[in-house]
Amino acid sequence: MGFLKFPLCSLVLLIVVLGLSAVAESKTYWGDIEVLKAMKNGLDVASVRPGSCVSSWDFKVDPCDNLFGERFTCGFRCDVVVSGRNRVTEISLDQAGYIDTHLDWLTLCAEELYLDNNNLQGIIPASWSNLVNLKRLELQSNKLSGEFPNLGSLRNLYYLDASDNAISGKLPRTFPSSLIQISMRNNNLEGRMVPDSFTNSTYLQVLDLSHNRLSGSVPALLFDGAPSLQQLVLSFNQFTSVQVPACLGTQSELIAVDLSNNELQGFLPAFMALMPRLSALSLENNKLTGMIPIQYALKTVVTGSGISPFARLLLGGNYLFGSIPDPLMGLKPGSVNVRLVDNCLIRCPVIFFFCQGGDQKSSSECRSFNPAIP
């Protein structure tokens, strides 16, 4: 995003305001001036570069009265309220690489908070759970660390992106039930996924927790207990198994599932071929074995009947053995994206497009992993 924006519906600061007489004649509400001061003082001085918005802020003059002048060139917006006094109604910081290690000044009612693509450091304050009006929170591409706070009280929050940070520890016990999208990829999250975190995820459509260190089983809840979930991305973690949902996923709205580059063991999850809307499935680079279920092949070639066929089926980099199911043999290049390379299949000649791009594993490697492989 080009700017960091978050509207201010009210400005409440837990600070002692001194020198009120100095701003008695100010056109800008004194509390708003203190917010701007707190923001500037909270930034690492070295990160406030010449020419940036904040570098021009000079509180010897009134902010709103001098906005877009030499001393307050940019960074916020002012509007006149009923009382005739100017209020700061929006803060729009340029992405100048500001570094802020103290984020506790954010005790205001922002409906949308954009702090992405800067150098923000430290932990996310637990006090942010009081931002009850918050609807959108973007923290991606910073240097935030520590455990992610429990924001379950933010009942209006519909979008959360905290990707590309250094957030560690376990997932929060609960997420706001209002969320439509959760993106926390490329962090240091670890431990098991607790089903309770997503029990009330009625509206959740996108869940991306890829590139972390999550382990254990992928909860069955994600396949039959999240009624709106369409995209599930858990690649590049340490999951070892997938729980089978009670309804076998037949009520699922999932369209795309990516569980590649984990530690999944056992057979391919047969129930995924029964998921009516699932059209993209990646299970590449795991430790799955057994034969390719005929149901997978049929879902790739059969159209109609109200079931979405596989448009993308990526199974390479496992220990699948046996012969390729007949329905797949008739697929034409370009009709569907199927990849079966780097397995233990009996025959997978390069004349078939899904066998191109890599060889099958050697017999010795296959038998070393699973002595039952012919």
Side-chain angles (χ1 to χ4, degrees), residues 57-339:
W57 293 1
D58 182 356
F59 294 99
K60 295 177 181 178
V61 297
D62 182 78
C64 290
D65 199 34
N66 290 272
L67 184 57
F68 305 127
E70 292 183 358
R71 298 199 229 186
F72 285 95
T73 59
C74 56
F76 58 93
R77 170 184 171 180
C78 293
D79 287 299
V80 179
V81 296
V82 177
S83 64
R85 189 168 296 280
N86 285 315
R87 295 299 307 267
V88 176
T89 55
E90 184 179 279
I91 294 179
S92 310
L93 294 183
D94 48 341
Q95 293 181 348
Y98 299 114
I99 298 176
D100 189 344
T101 58
H102 303 285
L103 298 174
D104 288 319
W105 60 269
L106 278 172
T107 53
L108 41 81
C109 298
E111 289 187 357
E112 296 188 359
L113 183 56
Y114 300 94
L115 298 175
D116 55 298
N117 291 284
N118 272 283
N119 288 309
L120 302 181
Q121 302 175 16
I123 63 173
I124 301 171
S127 60
W128 284 18
S129 61
N130 297 321
L131 302 177
V132 294
N133 293 316
L134 195 63
K135 294 181 179 179
R136 188 179 182 101
L137 178 58
E138 298 202 23
L139 302 171
Q140 65 271 24
S141 301
N142 280 290
K143 297 179 181 178
L144 298 171
S145 58
E147 292 193 1
F148 196 83
N150 188 340
L151 301 181
S153 60
L154 304 186
R155 298 180 180 179
N156 295 305
L157 189 67
Y158 70 88
Y159 185 94
L160 169 63
D161 194 343
S163 302
D164 302 310
N165 279 286
I167 299 170
S168 58
K170 298 180 179 180
L171 285 170
R173 286 294 293 187
T174 58
F175 283 99
S177 59
S178 54
L179 278 167
I180 294 176
Q181 178 165 334
I182 301 174
S183 298
M184 297 183 69
R185 64 182 176 275
N186 197 24
N187 278 288
N188 296 318
L189 296 171
E190 58 187 1
R192 295 175 176 268
M193 287 185 68
V194 181
D196 291 349
S197 299
F198 308 97
T199 299
N200 298 314
S201 300
T202 306
Y203 306 104
L204 186 62
Q205 297 180 10
V206 178
L207 177 60
D208 186 350
L209 301 176
S210 59
H211 293 269
N212 280 286
R213 294 183 292 182
L214 299 171
S215 58
S217 296
V218 179
L221 178 79
L222 298 177
F223 302 105
D224 65 2
S228 301
L229 190 60
Q230 298 179 15
Q231 183 175 338
L232 176 63
V233 185
L234 300 177
S235 56
F236 291 93
N237 276 286
Q238 299 171 10
F239 291 108
T240 55
S241 62
V242 178
Q243 295 180 357
V244 179
C247 295
L248 300 179
T250 55
Q251 305 299 316
S252 174
E253 292 293 314
L254 276 166
I255 296 173
V257 173
D258 188 351
L259 301 179
S260 64
N261 295 279
N262 277 280
E263 301 290 331
L264 297 178
Q265 302 175 19
F267 300 141
L268 291 173
F271 75 88
M272 290 187 176
L274 304 177
M275 297 168 66
R277 299 193 63 194
L278 187 62
S279 60
L281 175 61
S282 178
L283 295 170
E284 286 192 310
N285 301 321
N286 281 286
K287 296 179 180 179
L288 297 165
T289 189
M291 301 180 69
I292 301 175
I294 188 64
Q295 296 94 325
Y296 274 56
L298 291 175
K299 185 172 171 62
T300 305
V301 300
V302 174
T303 59
S305 69
I307 297 179
S308 300
F310 280 134
R312 182 167 70 246
L313 179 62
L314 309 180
L315 303 177
N318 283 287
Y319 292 86
L320 304 175
F321 60 83
S323 58
I324 299 172
D326 288 340
L328 296 180
M329 306 296 279
L331 291 175
K332 297 180 179 179
S335 62
V336 63
N337 183 5
V338 176
R339 192 153 56 222

Side-chain angles (χ1 to χ4, degrees), residues 20-35:
L20 290 179
S21 59
V23 293
E25 300 301 319
S26 172
K27 294 183 178 180
T28 306
Y29 176 60
W30 65 267
D32 297 358
I33 295 177
E34 295 303 325
V35 167

